[in-house]
Structure formats: C-alpha cells, structure tokens
C-alpha cells in the first residue's frame, strides 16, 4: 500500500484496510484542525487506487472492512467512487462494510439516487465532523457549514439507510460561548438523530 503523509481514521476503523482515494481535505480551513495542513488537496488517479487494492488482495487473505481516506472522500463524483466500490465488491467478497469521511455539503450535493446507489454498492456508513451545534461557533472556527446543513446532511443519509457517525468537540466554544456550544450541541444531537455520536475534547497545539 502507498500512503502520502499522515493517515487518520476513526477509532472504530482500527482493523480496517485504509485506502487513500483523496489526499488531504477539500476544505482544510477549520482553525481547530491541523490534520491535513501539510497536504495540498487532490484526487488520486483511479489507476493508483486500483493498484493499491490489487496489492492488498495479493497480501491479505481476509479483509472484512475497508475505510476510504482522506478527510472527505465523499466529495468525489459518484461515478468515481463506484469504480472503487465495484472493484471491492468483485475482489473482496468477504468485505462486510465500506466507510468514509464526508462533509454535510458533500451529502447535500448528491441526489438521493446517487446516495442510494453508493449504498447498494457497499457504502454502509459516513463519518462526519459536526463539531458544534452553534452557528456562532461553527463560523468562528471556519467550519464552512451551518447547523442547518449539518442536520440536513445527517438526516438525509439516515433516511436513505446509510448510517452516520458524528463527532462533536468539547471546549470548542471557549469561555465566551461554552454555554451556547453545549446547549446547541445537545439539541442538534437530538434533532439529527444519527446512528452514532461521539464527543472529543479540544486540545490546543
């Protein structure tokens, strides 16, 4: 497998095959995140990704989970994702699930038909960083998405049968917006009704 730069994946993907289909993050402006600052966003050539998958098939006897990296692989056009998903379906018949990171704007940009097609071809869950339920906090940290968009993105995926795992960050509102951050995040979790929700803690570097 060929990897470019540091690779990040959700904790629950610890035993998954990690395959980079994009390099970096298409947004990459969030002030709290330095995960992809050293990378310039680009989409990998399909033949490179397929070569990596072929290498994995030769070297790993059983691959039950595959996670498509980097930050928001869902930004890829549906037809490009289908090339990889169809290869996985054919060459990794034992694979039980394919997951990836996605932004709410990626979800809202795709039609219901596109998302249903991705589900039918193997995508079972999308990981999404919501960070906060407060529009003030989201604007402050340059998230590039609103509360309304985040809720709508999660609800859309869940309605179409694709599970979501959403993360929020404790402490992101700072001393001025801590209360609004806490309250608005709580109501947002209730409203979006994601399959999974986790809380992270802000660490300044």
């Amino acid at each position: 497998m060929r990897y470019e730069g540091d690779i990040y994946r959700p904790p629950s993907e610890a035993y998954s095959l990690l395959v980079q289909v994009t390099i970096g993050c298409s947004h990459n402006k969030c002030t709290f995140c330095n995960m992809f600052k050293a990378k310039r966003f680009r989409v990998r050539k399909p033949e490179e990704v397929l070569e990596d998958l072929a290498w994995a098939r030769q070297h790993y006897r059983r691959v039950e989970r595959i996670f498509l990296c980097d930050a928001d692989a869902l930004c890829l056009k549906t037809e490009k994702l289908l090339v990889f998903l169809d290869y996985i379906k054919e060459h990794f018949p034992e694979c039980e699930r394919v997951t990836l990171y996605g932004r709410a704007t990626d979800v809202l940009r795709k039609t219901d038909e596109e998302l249903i097609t991705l589900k039918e071809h193997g995508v079972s869950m999308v990981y999404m960083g919501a960070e906060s339920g407060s529009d003030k906090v989201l604007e402050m940290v340059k998230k590039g998405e609103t509360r309304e968009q985040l809720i709508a993105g999660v609800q859309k995926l869940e309605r179409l049968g694709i599970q979501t795992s959403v993360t929020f960050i404790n402490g992101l509102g700072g001393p001025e917006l801590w209360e609004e951050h806490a309250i608005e995040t709580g109501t947002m979790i209730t409203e979006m009704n994601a399959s999974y929700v986790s809380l992270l803690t802000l660490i300044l570097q």
Side-chain angles (χ1 to χ4, degrees), residues 158-176:
E158 294 285 350
R159 172 174 58 82
L160 297 175
I162 300 176
Q163 291 185 319
T164 56
S165 180
V166 186
T167 54
F168 296 87
I169 303 178
N170 288 328
L172 194 61
E176 294 83 11

Side-chain angles (χ1 to χ4, degrees), residues 46-65:
E47 54 268 28
E48 292 180 358
V49 178
L50 295 178
E51 287 172 2
D52 281 352
L53 285 168
W55 184 94
R57 180 69 292 175
Q58 292 175 358
H59 289 80
Y60 302 131
R61 185 176 66 178
R62 186 170 182 81
V63 177
E64 297 181 350
R65 295 183 176 188

Side-chain angles (χ1 to χ4, degrees), residues 140 171-180:
M140 178 180 70
L172 194 61
E176 294 83 11
L177 295 173
W178 72 268
E179 188 171 11
E180 176 173 331

Side-chain angles (χ1 to χ4, degrees), residues 51-118:
E51 287 172 2
D52 281 352
L53 285 168
W55 184 94
R57 180 69 292 175
Q58 292 175 358
H59 289 80
Y60 302 131
R61 185 176 66 178
R62 186 170 182 81
V63 177
E64 297 181 350
R65 295 183 176 188
I66 295 178
F67 179 72
L68 303 179
C69 314
D70 259 339
D72 53 341
L74 195 62
C75 73
L76 287 181
K77 291 183 178 180
T78 299
E79 53 266 30
K80 289 187 177 182
L81 280 170
L82 289 175
V83 171
F84 308 138
L85 294 172
D86 288 342
Y87 187 95
I88 290 170
K89 191 171 186 178
E90 179 180 356
H91 296 276
F92 297 84
E94 76 280 12
C95 184
E96 299 173 353
R97 75 178 200 178
V98 179
T99 56
L100 68 171
Y101 282 129
R103 286 170 56 82
T105 46
D106 298 331
V107 176
L108 298 176
R109 194 177 299 117
K110 293 187 183 298
T111 65
D112 285 10
E113 290 72 22
E114 286 180 289
L115 292 170
I116 290 171
T117 299
L118 291 176

Side-chain angles (χ1 to χ4, degrees), residues 31 131-142 147 169-186 202:
T31 59
E131 330 308 355
S132 176
S134 163
D135 274 324
K136 288 182 181 179
V137 174
L138 292 171
E139 183 178 2
M140 178 180 70
V141 300
K142 295 181 169 44
R147 173 190 172 96
I169 303 178
N170 288 328
L172 194 61
E176 294 83 11
L177 295 173
W178 72 268
E179 188 171 11
E180 176 173 331
H181 171 58
I183 294 173
E184 294 296 302
T185 295
L202 180 67

